[in-house]
Amino acid sequence: MSQHGRPGFIRIRTPYVADEDAARVAEATAHLVQHPARLLENLTGRTVVDLTKDDPEPPAMAA
């Protein structure tokens, strides 16, 4: 991982987590995740406009 303003790289160590443990934690905390628009609605009490496209353009057409 590169650190801004410093040459070279920094080693970051993360512990190994078994797939079963990761799945258990993900399932146990899934209720903490909200769609950003729903979160704004819940926090502000105002309806947020849905800007998602039903049929997105192909990548070549988007540019």
Side-chain angles (χ1 to χ4, degrees):
M1 178 178 197
S2 179
Q3 185 176 14
H4 182 69
R6 291 188 157 188
F9 293 89
I10 296 174
R11 178 179 235 175
I12 297 177
R13 296 179 183 225
T14 56
Y16 172 77
V17 178
D19 291 341
E20 298 81 23
D21 291 331
R24 182 180 47 78
V25 170
E27 186 177 342
T29 59
H31 68 282
L32 300 174
V33 179
Q34 283 191 29
H35 187 280
R38 300 298 84 78
L39 179 61
L40 283 173
E41 288 177 357
N42 292 340
L43 291 174
T44 64
R46 299 171 59 188
T47 302
V48 177
V49 176
D50 186 8
L51 300 176
T52 57
K53 294 183 178 181
D54 292 330
D55 187 22
E57 299 175 10
M61 300 297 291

